[in-house]
Amino acid sequence: MATVKFDESTRIYPGSDTPAVDKLNIDIEDGEFLVLVGPSGCGKSTSLRMLAGLEEVNQGKIWIGDRDVTDLSPKDRDVAMVFQNYALYPHMSVADNMGFALKIAGVDKGEIRKRVEEAANILDLTQYLERKPKALSGGQRQRVAMGRAIVRSPQVFLMDEPLSNLDAKLRVQTRTQIASLQRRLGVTTVYVTHDQVEAMTMGDRIALLKDGILQQCATPREMYDKPANLFVAGFIGSPAMNLVTVPVTADGAKFGNHTVSVPREGANDGGSHVVVGVRPEDVELTTNNDGLELTVDVIEELGADAYVYGTPTDQNFTLEGGDDNLAKPFIARVDGRKVPAKGEKIYVYPKGQHMHVFNKESGARL
Amino acid sequence: MALELTAARPDPALLDLPWRTPLEDWPEDILAALPRGISRHVVRFVRLSGRVLAIKEIKDDIARREYEMLRDLRRLHLPTVEPFAVVSGRVGVDGEPLDACLVTRHLQFSLPYRALYSQSLRKGTATRLIDALAVLLVRLHLTGFWWGDVSLSNTLFRRDAGSFAAYLVDAETGELRNRLSDGQREHDLDIARVNIAGELMDLEAGGLLQEERDPIEVSERIMTRYRELWAELTAEEHIVETERWRVDDRIRRLNKMGFDVDELEITTDFDGTTIRIQPKVVDSGHHSRRLLRLTGLDVRENQARRLLNDLEVFSAATGRQGEDEEIVAHDWLARVYEPVTRGVPASLLAKLEPAEVFHEVLEHRWYMAERARHDVPITDALADYVAKVLPGKPDERAVLGVDTEELPVIADRNA
C-alpha cells in the first residue's frame, strides 16, 4: 500500500500544442479511493495511464510511495489495472480463474492457494472456489474478476471506466461492490469515470478535470457544497445546479424583484453582474410576485417530491450551461403535495443562504 | 424510438431480423449455429442473404466506436473482420430499450482457436497459432493500433499454406495512435501472454488440449516471437561503408519475411565510414501483392509464397526464365493452378479454400514422389488427393464454434 503523488505531471501529445494533462498536482493518501472525473477529452484517462506507465510524462514527476516511478516501465510500478479483461474460463474452477495469473508469474502453489483463499474470503466466494463459473450468478462472476486483481496484491489499483460496458442494473450493483471492497482492502485506488453520480457515490475524494486542467480536488460533500467555479458547479449534481446571471445593485443581486446579498469582492466589471447558482432543492417557491418569474413547462412527479421545470418569463434572464442554442430550464424541487400546474406563473429565489455566487467572466467562486 | 441502421451498404433483409427480442433469446431457426466461445457479451451467428453474420449485443456508443474502428483498420489494410452494420434504437416487446448490436461479416474459412484444438491436431499447431498472432500484433503496433485485449479468443485464424494467418475480431478496447510507446506495446504483450496462458489452461482443464505442452511455456512464445519480429523490422543497423551490399541484404531479409519497406532511413556518420539504416515503415503482404499483380489471385502471404515458388519451377521447367513474367504467370495459371483448383468436385468445395487445396496437392505430390521415388504429374497427385485425403477433412467454410460455454456477464435477474 502506498501514497500516490502527481507532481506537476504533464502530458503533451506529439503534434499537439496544448497539453492533454497540464501540470497536474494531486496527493493521494495511502488507502484512499480517488476518482478522476470529467467530460470526454478532459485528460482523466491520460492521467491514469501516466500513473500506470502507459503514457509518457513530458514534464513533472509521478511518485508511488517514496519511489519516483516517472520513468519506470508499467511492470516495475507494482500497480494493477483492474477489469482490463474479465472473461472467465468455463472449464477452470473459480479458484483457478482467480489464481492463474500468479501461476504465470511463477508464484509457488502454496502461496497462490493462500492468496486465493484470502481474496475469496473478502469477496464471499469461499464456498464457490471449487465450482465452475457457469454455476455462479452475474454478480458473483463479476467478483471473481475482481479477485483476479486482488490476488496480485498490488500497491495501487487502477480502474479506467470499468463499468462502462455493463448494463445499468449490473453497473449499480458493481459500483457498490467495488466501493465497499476497496474500503475493506484498504488499497489505494485511482478510478476514472465520466459519470458524476459514480464519482460522488464511490470516491473518498474527487478530482474534476476539464481540458487537461484540474478544476477542484475535494470530498464529494465539499464539491457539492462549495464548487470552486462555474464548471464544477454545473458538472456535479443531478439535476444540475441552476446558474443564472443576475444584475447587482447597491442592495445586492436582483433575483427578479427579490434581492439577495452577495459578496462583491472578485466580481468583474465593478460587480454589475454575477452568476448565482441554486441547487433545485434550495429553491424557495412563491406565488406572490416575489422572486424570478417562471412559466412552468413540465412537472416531473417523484412521489414525495416533484421537479418543476420552468422558463424565465423575462428573456433577459438566461441560464448558464444550456446545450447549444437550446434554452436550459430552471429546475426546482418542490413538495409533492404542493405542485404548481403546468403553464402557471411561479416565483423563485434562493432559500436562505443556500446559494453560490460566481464571477461571470472567470467563473471563479466569490 | 425508431430502429436505426448504420451501414456502408445496407441490406434491407437485415431489418427482418427479430430486433425486438434480446439477442440471447433469438429463435434457433434463424441462427447459423449455436454460438460458443468465451465472450463478455452475447454473440450470435445468423444466415442472411447467403452470408453468415456475427451479431454482438453491446451498448450503443461502444458499438459505433467499434464499427468505426474496424472500418479504419480495414482502410489501413490490416487483417480484421469486416464491419457490416450497427443496429440501434432497439425496443423490446415490453417497451424496454435494448442494447445496440454490432454486425460483422463472418470471415469465410476462418477458424476460432477452440475449433482448431478440438480437431486432432498436427504437431505444433499451438505454436503456429501463437506465431500468427505475433505477426498480427506486430503489424497492428506498427500502424499505431493499441489493442488492449489481445487474446486467442479475439482472433480468428485462416490456413495459410500449412501455417496460419491471424485476423483481429474484437476492437472494442482498441485505440489508434500516431505511434505507440514501448510501455504501451509491452502492456499489450503482457495482456496477450496472460490471456493466452489462461485460454490454454482452460482447454487443458476441459481436456481439450491435444498436445502435451505446458500452457505457460507456449504463452511465453508470444513474447519471444513478437520481440524477434519487432527487432528485425524496426532495429537500426550500422554498416561499414565498404559493406554497402548489406543495405540490400536487409531489404531482402524483410521481403523474405513478407514485409515491404516503404521507406529506409539511411544516414552516414560524420566521417562517412559507417552508414546507419533503419526501415521506417514496413507493411506485410510482399508476396501476396506480387502474386496479385502477376495473376490476379488474392491469397494469403504464405500461400502466395508457395504459389510463386511453383510458378518459378514452372518457368524453369518450361525454359522460360527470360520471358516476361506476367505472360509466364498467365500460362501457369491456366495450365497448372486452375486445373487443380477446378478439379475439386463441387461436393468438397466447402472443405478448404482453393489456394490451400493447391498447397496441399503440392505437398501430397511431394509425399507420393518420395514414396514412388520418381516424379509424379500434378494431375495424378490431384486425383489421389481428391480421392483419399480431401473427403476426410472437416468443412471449414463456416466454422462458427465448438463445444464451450458462453459466459456474458449480465445482471442477476433476481438481485
Side-chain angles (χ1 to χ4, degrees), chain A residues 49 54-55 85-86 88-92 100 104 134 137-139 141-142 164-165 169-171 173, chain B residues 38 40 59 62 146 172 175 177 184 187 190 193-195 197-198 202 205 405 408-410 412-413 415:
Chain A
R49 288 169 177 186
L54 301 174
E55 288 290 357
N85 166 9
Y86 45 59
L88 297 181
Y89 299 113
H91 298 111
M92 277 155 56
F100 82 95
I104 301 167
K134 200 184 175 191
S137 72
R141 287 177 197 174
Q142 198 68 14
S164 61
N165 58 3
K169 197 171 168 190
L170 189 59
R171 207 154 57 226
Q173 279 176 17
Chain B
I38 307 176
R40 286 187 297 242
K59 290 177 69 183
I62 299 175
W146 188 16
E172 201 182 303
E175 285 175 35
R177 302 290 186 95
Q184 288 161 347
H187 186 64
D190 196 41
R193 200 204 155 182
V194 172
N195 281 343
D202 184 52
E405 308 295 330
V409 176
I410 47 176
D412 299 358
R413 292 220 159 145

Side-chain angles (χ1 to χ4, degrees), chain A residues 84-131:
Chain A
Q84 281 285 332
N85 166 9
Y86 45 59
L88 297 181
Y89 299 113
H91 298 111
M92 277 155 56
S93 67
V94 167
D96 287 342
N97 263 292
M98 278 163 67
F100 82 95
L102 294 180
K103 202 166 156 192
I104 301 167
V107 178
D108 78 73
K109 269 188 182 167
E111 175 69 17
I112 295 177
R113 189 69 208 176
K114 192 175 131 238
R115 290 207 218 165
V116 166
E117 279 171 5
E118 280 168 9
N121 186 31
I122 293 169
L123 293 162
D124 294 323
L125 288 170
T126 305
Q127 55 178 319
Y128 303 106
L129 276 180
E130 301 317 318
R131 298 200 196 166

Side-chain angles (χ1 to χ4, degrees), chain B residues 72-90:
Chain B
D72 287 345
L73 293 177
R74 288 187 67 86
R75 249 178 249 134
L76 293 165
H77 303 290
L78 289 165
T80 74
V81 290
E82 193 182 330
F84 190 69
V86 173
V87 179
S88 56
R90 296 171 63 210

Side-chain angles (χ1 to χ4, degrees), chain B residues 170-243:
Chain B
D170 189 316
E172 201 182 303
T173 49
E175 285 175 35
L176 263 176
R177 302 290 186 95
N178 284 331
R179 59 174 285 280
L180 298 185
S181 70
D182 290 346
Q184 288 161 347
R185 293 193 299 111
E186 282 297 315
H187 186 64
D188 257 2
L189 210 47
D190 196 41
I191 289 172
R193 200 204 155 182
V194 172
N195 281 343
I196 290 168
E199 286 162 330
L200 296 180
M201 284 180 198
D202 184 52
L203 290 178
E204 195 179 48
L208 297 166
L209 200 59
Q210 305 281 342
E211 280 178 283
E212 291 291 311
R213 291 287 296 273
D214 176 17
I216 292 177
E217 197 184 298
V218 176
S219 75
E220 268 161 16
R221 191 177 171 89
I222 188 77
M223 321 273 271
T224 49
R225 284 300 295 153
Y226 174 94
R227 292 207 175 106
E228 280 166 19
L229 196 54
W230 184 265
E232 187 64 57
L233 293 179
T234 61
E236 59 171 62
E237 199 172 345
H238 294 267
I239 291 170
V240 186
E241 217 267 334
T242 51
E243 296 184 332

